[in-house]
Structure formats: C-alpha cells, structure tokens
C-alpha cells in the first residue's frame, strides 16, 4: 500500500481516540448499521480531501464499511492529526509492520509543494485506475482536476507566467510536472468522476461559480447547505473550537478583552457567542445589512474594523472573503493583539502583505504561533501582533477542530451525499444540488437520543392542519431555521 504520513507508530494512540470518537458519532454508526451489509458504495473509488482528523478517520472507515475504496489527503497544511492519519493507514486489522488500512497522504506541517503533491496522490489508484468520486472540503481536489483539464487543452506555461500567488504557482508547477510525465491524465480523471460532495461554504461558492460560467465538469452535492451541516458544524462547531484554538495558542485571558469578529454568518455567529461566553466584549463587523442587524439584535456592537482597531485585543476573521484584515490595519493594532482566521483560506488576513512588509520581524513562538513586530513608523516603536496558524484556519491549526458529535452531523450528510451521487448518477446531470429535506431531518433524528431528546409527534389532525406529512418533511425548502 502506498501512503505518506508522519509516524506510523502513533497508530495505537490514534486507534484509541477513534474508538472514543465512534461513541460520539451516532449518525456515522447508524450508517454502518444500515448500509454495512448492502454496501451501496461498492465500486466507488473516493478521493477525499478533508482535514485528516480523528473524526475524519471515523468517516473514512464508514465509507470503507459501505464498500468504497478510499484515498485521503488533508485540505489544509496544518490540520492533520498525525495519530489519526497513522491509525487510518494501519487500519483496524493491520499492524505497523503490515498496514492494511487506507492510503493517506497527510501530515501536520506540509509545505505547499507537499500539499499539492498529496492532493494529486488521492486521484490516482495504483495499477492505472483513477478516482470516480471526490469528497472535498474547500474545493481543492475539484479545482486541481478542473485546472488539469484546462492545462491539457491550453498548456500550463502561460498559467505559470500569470500566477497571482505563490500557491497558484505551486499548483501550476504540479500540473506542469504531471503533464510532462503523462499528457492525457486529467481529462481521463474528469471523465471518470461521477461527482463531488463538498463540505464547506467556500468550496460550495467555487462550485456555483463554475456552474454559472458553464465550466463545471461533473455534478456536485452541496453538503454545506444541509441544515444539519451549516447550522450546526459552522456555528456550534466553531463555538467550541475557536476558543480552544485561542487558548492552546496563547493562554491569554479572554474575559474583559475586546474581541472583534469579522463576518456574522454561521461561523461568525458561533465565534461571537463563544467569545461572549468567555466574558469578552464582542464587536462584529459585517457588509450585509441583514447579518449586521442580526448581530445588533443579538446584542453586539456592530462597527467597522477601522473604528475599533485602537481597542481590539482579539481579531477573528470568519467571512470566506479576501483581505478582510489588511497589513495597513495590522500596523495600527494594539500591542500584542491576537489576529486569527477561522474562514477556509489564508487570504482573509493579508499574510502576503505582512510577510513582504519592509522591516517587519517574525519570531516563531511555537508551532502555528508567530509574533510579528513592525518597524518604527517615526512616531515611536512599531506594534507587535500575534498571528495564529500563519493566517490559516486556526481552529484546526492551533487546536483539533470541531468535536466528534457535531462532525457526526456533517459527515452523515457526506455519506448520504456520496451514496446519492454514486448510486443515482443518472438523476444528477452536471449541476449543484442539496440533499432532500427528508434526509436532513433524518440526520438530525439520528442524533437526538444521544442527547436525551424526546421529540413531540404530530397528530394526524395537526399534520393535516399544517399541511405536512406526519413523518415529515416538516418545513418547506425555503424555511431558514
Ligand atoms: P457565511 O456566508 O454564512 O458568512 C460569512 C459572512 O461574512 C457573511 O455574512 C458576509 O456578509 C460576511 N462578510 C463578507 N465579507 C466581509 C467583510 N469584508 N467584512 C465583514 N464581513 C464580511 O459563511 P460561513 O458558513 O459563516 O463560513 C465562513 C467561512 O468559514 C468560509 O470560508 C467557510 O468555508 C469557513 N468555515 C470554516 C470552518 C472551520 O471549522 N474553520 C467551519 C465551517 C466553515
């Protein structure tokens, strides 16, 4: 078996934590119970690009139990939990000397070159076979296939010349090298792929963009917008893991501090609530009047970042947008202000601008924590700020991401979406879809008893009065929760 992880001897530790996580992931366990015998994913070759954590290990082994062959990479250079990766490679039956699990290509602290090499490895099977399904988080695996097909048509040299960032250059270099090795691969991969199931807001945006421009090559299921994903993982998951990341990185008391949350979508709502829970005075920034009004009615001050920079101790970006915190703003921050991003990509904070700022000094405190000191601007010493995870998503870089129970909701949607696309391919022409509401309700239902929830049942009269079936779905598709 081919694989590349940090240290296989961590497998035992990983296996023990996977065992603990399984108990907290009733949705995935129910999938194993329900589909373990019928194996609806037999024949599926799933290329997974999603943070290689303990929770993801439970997802991977669920996909395997349902019949799939799987290869996995992480979707972020810092998010892999090395013990989880090792345990998945060794597998439930294997040993460190004789691993029998799933090929994983992921370790904490990859370089960009290594990251894109890993992403490439998940798409090709030994003996010349290719993936026929993608399970993506942020859309990097999907993007690589699309760029590969483009590069095959037009050549990669012009793209290399026009690359706008270091990362883009690395991607094009990977394509350049792979095309030099075997010129016809990417179109073959794209033709094999039946579809992609996409985990997060940012990846879903990319899918809808490609669909609008007519460049999307295969169908996608938008898992993010299952209610039991975005209204749970994005919100309650970040409510847990934002604070976890700040504490592990800095150990600074949050109570009494002024914390700014940029963006009051699902992620921002969870972040603001958790910071308030710690006793911070929370200020929200927004560009959308509806979300700004929501934040105000939830009791937060809503301002612009420029207005509150002089008082802000902690600044968190949660927008999925670019350049939300500029290097010019970083220079005006308080001494030792903490700056961190919980959105998907590292361009929310202008890290490129910070790295290239003349005279700025970076001191690494410990992995994923850096202190940056600006030079004097002629009016006294330059300020010092603390940046987490190099501007990449800090809840997975500085902590261990969301806990198992909330990920069970997200990943049960992923499993259902994979089954849906793989077994009913003909019903999904190229386009972007969400799972039907009855499945969303089913995911929630699978998680109720673990929390001791007793659900009230509709009577037949009440159901008729509301105009819904007794067994659901209970809401129309446009209901917003
Ligand atoms: P969302 O679309 O619900 O919320 C983003 C909010 O940011 C919107 O309300 C938007 O109006 C606002 N916004 C955009 N530009 C802004 C600006 N310049 N200043 C202030 N506000 C601005 O998206 P969601 O689901 O909250 O996701 C946000 C990001 O977090 C995405 O990149 C998503 O992929 C990522 N994500 C990260 C997770 C993690 O574990 N770290 C979990 C789930 C999502």
């Amino acid at each position: 078996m081919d694989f590349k992880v940090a240290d296989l001897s961590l497998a035992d530790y990983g296996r023990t934590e996977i065992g603990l996580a399984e108990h907290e992931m009733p949705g995935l366990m129910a999938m194993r119970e329900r589909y373990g015998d019928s194996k609806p994913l037999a024949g599926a070759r799933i290329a997974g690009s999603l943070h290689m954590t303990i929770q993801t290990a439970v997802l991977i082994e669920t996909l395997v139990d349902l019949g799939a062959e799987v290869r996995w990479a992480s979707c972020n250079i810092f998010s892999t939990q090395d013990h989880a990766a090792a345990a998945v490679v060794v597998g439930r039956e294997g040993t460190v000397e004789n691993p029998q699990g799933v090929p994983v290509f992921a370790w904490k602290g990859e370089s960009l070159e290594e990251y894109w090499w890993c992403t490439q490895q998940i798409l090709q099977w030994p003996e010349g076979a290719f993936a026929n399904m993608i399970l993506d988080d942020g859309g990097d695996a999907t993007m690589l296939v699309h760029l590969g097909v483009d590069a095959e048509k037009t050549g990669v040299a012009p793209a290399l010349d026009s690359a706008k960032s270091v990362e883009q250059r690395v991607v094009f270099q990977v394509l350049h090298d792979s095309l030099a090795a075997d010129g016809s691969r990417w179109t073959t991969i794209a033709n094999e792929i039946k579809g992609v199931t996409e985990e997060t807001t940012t990846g879903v945006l990319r899918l809808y963009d490609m669909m609008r421009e007519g460049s999307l090559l295969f169908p996608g299921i938008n898992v993010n917008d299952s209610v039991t994903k975005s209204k749970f993982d994005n919100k309650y998951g970040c409510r847990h893991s934002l604070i976890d990341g700040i504490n592990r990185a800095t150990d600074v008391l949050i109570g009494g501090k002024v914390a700014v949350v940029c963006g009051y979508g699902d992620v921002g709502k969870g972040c603001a609530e958790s910071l308030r829970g710690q006793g911070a005075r929370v200020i929200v920034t927004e560009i959308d009047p509806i979300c700004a009004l929501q934040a105000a009615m939830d009791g937060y001050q809503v301002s612009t970042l420029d207005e509150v920079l002089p008082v802000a101790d902690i600044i968190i970006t949660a927008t999925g947008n670019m350049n939300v915190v500029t290097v010019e703003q970083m220079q005006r921050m308080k001494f030792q202000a903490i700056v961190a991003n919980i959105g998907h990509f590292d361009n929310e904070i202008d890290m490129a601008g910070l790295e290239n700022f003349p005279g700025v000094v970076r001191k690494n405190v410990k992995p994923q924590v850096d202190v940056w000191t600006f030079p004097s601007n002629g009016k006294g010493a330059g300020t010092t700020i603390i940046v987490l995870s190099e501007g990449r998503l800090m809840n997975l870089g500085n902590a261990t991401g969301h806990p198992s129970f909330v990920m069970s909701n997200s990943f049960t949607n992923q499993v259902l979406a994979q089954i849906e696309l793989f077994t009913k391919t003909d019903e999904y022409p190229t386009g972007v879809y969400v799972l039907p509401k009855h499945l969303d309700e089913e995911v929630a239902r699978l998680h109720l008893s673990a929390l001791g929830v007793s659900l009230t049942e509709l009577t037949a009269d009440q159901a008729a009065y509301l105009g819904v079936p007794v067994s659901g779905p209970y809401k129309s598709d446009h209901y917003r929760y």
Side-chain angles (χ1 to χ4, degrees):
M1 183 173 63
D2 59 337
F3 63 88
K4 191 163 164 49
V5 299
D7 181 0
L8 272 196
S9 72
L10 298 171
D12 238 12
Y13 170 29
R15 181 57 50 195
T16 309
E17 287 215 325
I18 290 171
L20 298 175
E22 284 174 349
H23 176 69
E24 281 283 296
M25 303 189 85
L28 288 183
M29 293 304 113
M31 293 294 104
R32 290 184 190 184
E33 183 88 21
R34 190 171 299 171
Y35 298 113
D37 290 336
S38 61
K39 304 226 177 295
L41 292 177
R45 290 187 301 277
I46 301 174
S49 166
L50 190 150
H51 311 290
M52 184 54 256
T53 64
I54 290 290
Q55 292 70 34
T56 303
V58 183
L59 167 64
I60 292 171
E61 292 183 348
T62 304
L63 295 169
V64 169
D65 284 358
L66 270 54
E69 286 178 58
V70 181
R71 289 167 77 83
W72 214 266
S74 203
C75 63
N76 182 283
I77 59 172
F78 292 137
S79 64
T80 296
Q81 292 163 14
D82 288 324
H83 63 318
V88 170
V89 169
V90 166
R92 289 168 280 192
E93 312 292 328
T95 60
V96 172
E97 295 71 34
N98 181 23
Q100 296 193 14
V102 163
V104 173
F105 302 85
W107 55 97
K108 192 174 180 81
E110 296 159 5
S111 68
L112 283 180
E113 285 79 7
E114 289 165 339
Y115 173 81
W116 287 103
W117 175 84
C118 291
T119 309
Q120 208 184 339
Q121 301 316 304
I122 62 173
L123 293 161
Q124 51 204 11
W125 257 247
E127 287 108 45
F130 295 114
N132 57 18
M133 295 290 295
I134 296 179
L135 193 159
D136 223 349
D137 184 349
D140 278 352
T142 303
M143 184 180 81
L144 190 61
V145 174
H146 281 74
L147 288 177
V149 171
D150 283 350
E152 248 167 40
K153 285 192 203 130
T154 58
V156 84
L160 252 173
D161 286 344
S162 65
K164 291 193 193 73
S165 63
V166 176
E167 179 137 15
Q168 265 192 12
R169 222 188 139 70
V170 173
V171 180
F172 291 134
Q173 192 63 53
V174 164
L175 290 171
H176 183 270
D177 297 347
S178 90
L179 289 173
D182 173 0
S184 62
R185 199 155 24 146
W186 293 99
T187 307
T188 315
I189 296 177
N191 289 340
E192 286 269 323
I193 289 178
K194 293 174 186 289
V196 52
T197 59
E198 171 53 54
E199 175 81 1
T200 199
T201 316
T202 288
V204 160
L205 271 177
R206 282 179 167 182
L207 285 180
Y208 284 113
D209 275 352
M210 288 192 281
M211 183 175 80
R212 264 192 302 275
E213 322 170 322
S215 61
L216 186 63
L217 296 172
F218 36 76
I221 290 189
N222 162 0
V223 169
N224 182 67
D225 286 300
S226 287
V227 179
T228 47
K229 199 287 182 180
S230 48
K231 298 290 170 188
F232 290 80
D233 164 328
N234 303 25
K235 183 177 178 190
Y236 305 116
C238 290
R239 187 177 70 177
H240 171 103
S241 57
L242 170 80
I243 297 300
D244 193 6
I246 296 174
N247 286 341
R248 292 197 206 200
T250 69
D251 211 19
V252 162
L253 184 74
I254 296 170
K257 298 286 192 325
V258 173
V260 182
V261 176
C262 302
Y264 200 67
D266 293 318
V267 170
K269 287 179 175 75
C271 293
E273 189 183 340
S274 65
L275 289 161
R276 176 149 75 185
Q278 290 290 310
R281 286 180 286 144
V282 180
I283 302 172
V284 167
T285 76
E286 252 297 343
I287 48 112
D288 178 335
I290 297 177
C291 299
L293 188 61
Q294 272 183 318
M297 291 209 183
D298 284 339
Y300 300 107
Q301 179 185 339
V302 183
S303 291
T304 66
L305 187 55
D306 279 326
E307 273 168 7
V308 298
L309 266 186
V311 294
D313 299 292
I314 301 171
I315 295 120
I316 306 295
T317 53
T319 68
N321 202 348
M322 62 181 287
N323 273 345
V324 175
V325 176
T326 65
V327 67
E328 189 276 322
Q329 288 168 325
M330 288 183 246
Q331 285 175 79
R332 289 190 280 127
M333 286 177 182
K334 272 175 89 168
F335 182 69
Q336 288 190 5
I338 298 166
V339 189
N341 167 45
I342 197 165
H344 194 79
F345 284 123
D346 63 340
N347 56 353
E348 297 208 21
I349 299 169
D350 181 14
M351 291 304 296
L354 178 60
E355 279 153 23
N356 294 323
F357 191 84
V360 75
V361 176
R362 171 185 182 176
K363 175 146 179 53
N364 182 251
V365 181
K366 59 183 180 181
Q368 286 81 57
V369 182
D370 291 293
V371 166
W372 292 80
T373 301
F374 284 94
S376 162
N377 59 6
K379 299 182 217 149
T383 193
T384 291
I385 59 175
I386 303 169
V387 180
L388 308 191
S389 286
E390 297 178 12
R392 294 169 196 275
L393 75 189
M394 53 76 77
N395 59 334
L396 282 135
N398 297 91
T400 53
H402 297 352
S404 303
F405 195 78
V406 85
M407 292 316 295
S408 178
N409 288 268
S410 309
F411 288 166
T412 306
N413 280 293
Q414 278 286 4
V415 172
L416 291 169
Q418 285 282 324
I419 297 175
E420 197 65 17
L421 268 185
F422 184 71
T423 59
K424 299 183 188 157
T425 312
D426 294 343
E427 293 176 27
Y428 292 93
T430 301
V432 187
Y433 305 87
V434 287
L435 282 174
K437 190 163 290 288
H438 73 92
L439 292 180
D440 219 344
E441 290 179 358
E442 177 65 11
V443 172
R445 212 181 272 282
L446 290 171
H447 291 86
L448 295 181
S449 66
L451 299 179
V453 172
S454 308
L455 198 61
T456 303
E457 273 180 42
L458 273 180
T459 65
D461 283 351
Q462 287 174 325
Y465 182 77
L466 290 178
V468 297
V470 170
S471 58
Y474 301 105
K475 300 286 198 296
S476 63
D477 282 339
H478 58 261
Y479 185 79
R480 292 192 176 90
Y481 297 86

